[in-house]
Amino acid sequence: MSSKIHTYPTESTSGLVEAIGVRYGINDPSRIVLGCGSDELIRMLTQAYLEPGDEAIHTQYGFLQFPIATKIAGGVPVSAPDNHYTASVDAILECISSRTKIVFLANPNNPTGTYLSNNELRRLRVELPSRVLLVLDAAYAEYVQMHDYTAGIDLVEQTDNTVMLRTFSKMYAMAGLRLGWAYCSDDIAATLYAVKPPYSVNALSLPAGVAAVNDLKFQKKSLSHNAIWLPWLQNEFKKLGMKPYSSVTNFFIIRLPKQAREYLVKRGIIVRSMSDYGKKEFIRISVGLEDDNRAVIAAMVDFFNQIEVRTQDLSL
Ligand SMILES: Cc1ncc(COP(=O)(O)O)c(C=O)c1O
C-alpha cells in the first residue's frame, strides 16, 4: 500500500508522536503509529497481515495476546519451543512454513523476563524469509540494562519488514490510559492506518503520554528502584532455598510449592500464575513498592517457618 493513504498522525496526536521521536531518537516520527495500548496494535497487525489459515509464530512462553490475536484474525498460531524459558531463534526458524506471515517475539519476554541479544535478533531477521513480518514487542525495553540488547529501532530502520511495539503500560505505569505505539516502515504504517479504528487513542492519554516520556526523573527513579528491589527479592527467595529465574525486567518467575502459592493468597498476596502455559507451579512476581516486596518475603518466611511444613510434604 502507498504511504499516501496516511490519515495520521493528526494534529491532536502529533505532539505525542514528536515527543516519542525525541525521547527515542527516531528521526521520522511519521512512521510511529499510536494505538489504544500495544494490544490494539497486535490486533491490527494480525487483522491486516493474516488471511484465514495463515500462520503466525509465537514462542512457547511468549506473551499470550499473540496467539489470541492470531486466532481472532482467523490465523493459526504456531508455538516455537523455548530453550530454558528463553526464546530460541533456531526453534522459530524451524517453524517457518509457506503459510507463515508473522513472527511475534516479545523481547524481553513476559512472563519469563528473558531476552534475546542484538546478534540473535539480527540472525533471526536475516534467516527469516523477507515476506515474513517480524514483530518485536519491546514492552519492557525501558528496564533492560544489558549492553547486547536492542529494542529494535535499528532493525526497523535497516529493514522494511520489521515492526517494533512499545507501550506506556510498563515503565510509565499508564496501563489504564491505554497507550502504545508501533515503529515501522512507511508501507506498514499505511497498512496499519487502513485497519485502525477511527477513534482509538483517547484524548486524556495524549498529554499524559507527552508528560511521561519527558519525565526523565521518574524514569530514572523507577530504574533505580528496580535495580535495588529485583535482586533483593530474588536473593531473599534464594535464602529460603528457592530458585528464582534471572530476569532483565521488573518481574521474575519462580517455581513454588502448591502450599506456598496458596499461603500467599491467604495472606492477601495475589501472584500471577503461569497456569495458562500449563505451568501452574510457576508464578510471576513483579517488583512492587518497598512495603509490598517486604510483605511477600515476610509471608514466605512465615510459611517456611511453620513447624508443620517439611520440605518432603511439599507438592508442586
Ligand atoms: C509483552 C507485552 N506486550 C504487550 C503488552 C500490552 O500492553 P498494553 O497495555 O500497551 O496493551 C503487555 C502487557 O502485559 C506485555 O507484557
Side-chain angles (χ1 to χ4, degrees), residues 37-39 42 63 106 110 137 139-140 167-170 175 178-180:
S38 46
D39 276 349
I42 295 167
F63 184 50
N110 174 15
D137 179 347
Y140 290 91
T167 178
F168 281 77
S169 298
K170 311 300 178 188
R178 310 306 303 134
L179 194 56

Side-chain angles (χ1 to χ4, degrees), residues 200-215:
S200 77
V201 177
N202 70 80
L204 293 179
S205 69
L206 296 171
V210 174
V213 283
N214 289 333
D215 191 351

Side-chain angles (χ1 to χ4, degrees), residues 35-42 62-63 65-66 106-111 137-140 165-170 174-176 178-181 251 272 284:
C36 181
S38 46
D39 276 349
E40 184 184 55
L41 293 158
I42 295 167
F63 184 50
Q65 285 303 320
F66 302 147
N107 198 40
N109 185 49
N110 174 15
D137 179 347
Y140 290 91
L165 298 179
R166 304 293 284 259
T167 178
F168 281 77
S169 298
K170 311 300 178 188
M174 285 172 42
R178 310 306 303 134
L179 194 56
W181 53 284
F251 55 80
R272 185 67 185 251
R284 187 196 66 184

Side-chain angles (χ1 to χ4, degrees), residues 68-84:
I68 292 170
T70 300
K71 280 192 207 153
I72 289 171
V76 180
V78 177
S79 173
D82 269 19
N83 188 3
H84 297 293

Side-chain angles (χ1 to χ4, degrees), residues 9 17 20-21 26 28-34 181-184 189 193:
V17 162
I20 292 172
I26 289 172
D28 185 0
S30 72
R31 289 160 52 187
I32 292 173
V33 181
L34 298 180
W181 53 284
Y183 182 46
C184 51
Y193 285 127

Side-chain angles (χ1 to χ4, degrees), residues 47-213:
Q47 197 184 352
Y49 286 93
L50 296 179
E51 299 286 340
D54 283 346
E55 295 171 3
I57 297 171
H58 62 93
T59 60
Q60 184 179 6
Y61 300 114
F63 184 50
L64 280 175
Q65 285 303 320
F66 302 147
I68 292 170
T70 300
K71 280 192 207 153
I72 289 171
V76 180
V78 177
S79 173
D82 269 19
N83 188 3
H84 297 293
Y85 298 95
T86 304
S88 156
V89 169
D90 291 325
I92 294 170
L93 293 171
E94 272 167 34
C95 290
I96 299 291
S97 79
S98 58
R99 302 280 338 229
T100 309
K101 291 284 167 58
I102 305 178
V103 169
F104 282 111
L105 180 71
N107 198 40
N109 185 49
N110 174 15
T112 55
T114 53
Y115 79 108
L116 286 187
S117 70
N118 186 4
N119 284 347
E120 282 294 272
L121 283 194
R122 275 170 199 283
R123 183 163 80 85
L124 177 60
R125 180 63 276 177
V126 167
E127 295 192 21
L128 278 178
S130 57
R131 64 180 162 79
V132 175
L133 195 65
L134 174 60
V135 178
L136 299 173
D137 179 347
Y140 290 91
E142 282 80 3
Y143 289 101
V144 185
Q145 301 296 300
M146 312 303 283
H147 293 302
D148 62 351
Y149 172 77
T150 177
I153 291 176
D154 45 352
L155 267 181
V156 169
E157 286 173 354
Q158 290 153 15
T159 61
D160 56 10
N161 45 10
T162 306
V163 179
M164 179 191 69
L165 298 179
R166 304 293 284 259
T167 178
F168 281 77
S169 298
K170 311 300 178 188
M171 167 66 87
Y172 300 113
M174 285 172 42
L177 278 174
R178 310 306 303 134
L179 194 56
W181 53 284
Y183 182 46
C184 51
S185 71
D186 243 350
D187 274 359
I188 297 172
T191 304
L192 289 178
Y193 285 127
V195 297
K196 188 172 162 59
Y199 304 108
S200 77
V201 177
N202 70 80
L204 293 179
S205 69
L206 296 171
V210 174
V213 283

